[in-house]
Amino acid sequence: MTKTTHAEQQVLDSLALDLILSAARLTRLAGKKSGSAYSSNAWRVLADLERHGAQRVSDLAQQQHVAQPTMTTLVQRLGSENWVTREADPSDGRATLVAITPTGADALAEYRRSAAAVLAPHLADLPEGDQATLLRAAEIMHRIVEIA
């Protein structure tokens, strides 16, 4: 990390806040208009399982900032769709791990396609320069997430 002045830090803090707010609004817009019957929490859980592999319900609850009973209910609902399975934790026989199924991965991919289809017309209306800027911003955001 490079040393920043107080003024530079304020600019960075403001940028970070703007990114968080706009990304959250964009995600809500895409999710609401995609017609999904599931909450954004459900999709985040599936995405985390896809990216990081099987996890305990308690860990999922902590990551999503919900109570464990809330996560248990969500996992049961996802399980009823055959989107996740529960299996014994090899490191602790008393615990179970939740894992995404191929059906769950397909559902997540379809949700992402539907959400992207909501945004695509808005992107098409932008000038090429703005589209290029957003492409570069997406690349940078991916890089930030990978190193965080």
Side-chain angles (χ1 to χ4, degrees), residues 39-42 44-45 48 56-75 78:
S39 69
S40 57
N41 261 2
R44 281 194 306 267
V45 167
D48 285 348
R56 291 182 178 192
V57 171
S58 58
D59 293 334
L60 292 170
Q62 184 179 16
Q63 290 165 13
Q64 298 300 321
H65 305 288
V66 298
Q68 188 164 338
T70 301
M71 184 56 65
T72 298
T73 300
L74 176 57
V75 166
L78 296 174

Side-chain angles (χ1 to χ4, degrees), residues 59-110:
D59 293 334
L60 292 170
Q62 184 179 16
Q63 290 165 13
Q64 298 300 321
H65 305 288
V66 298
Q68 188 164 338
T70 301
M71 184 56 65
T72 298
T73 300
L74 176 57
V75 166
Q76 288 170 343
R77 186 169 179 213
L78 296 174
S80 73
E81 297 282 355
N82 193 32
W83 291 356
V84 298
T85 59
R86 294 177 83 157
E87 53 201 47
D89 183 342
S91 67
D92 182 351
R94 300 167 295 170
T96 60
L97 295 175
V98 179
I100 191 169
T101 65
T103 304
D106 290 346
L108 178 60
E110 179 55 34

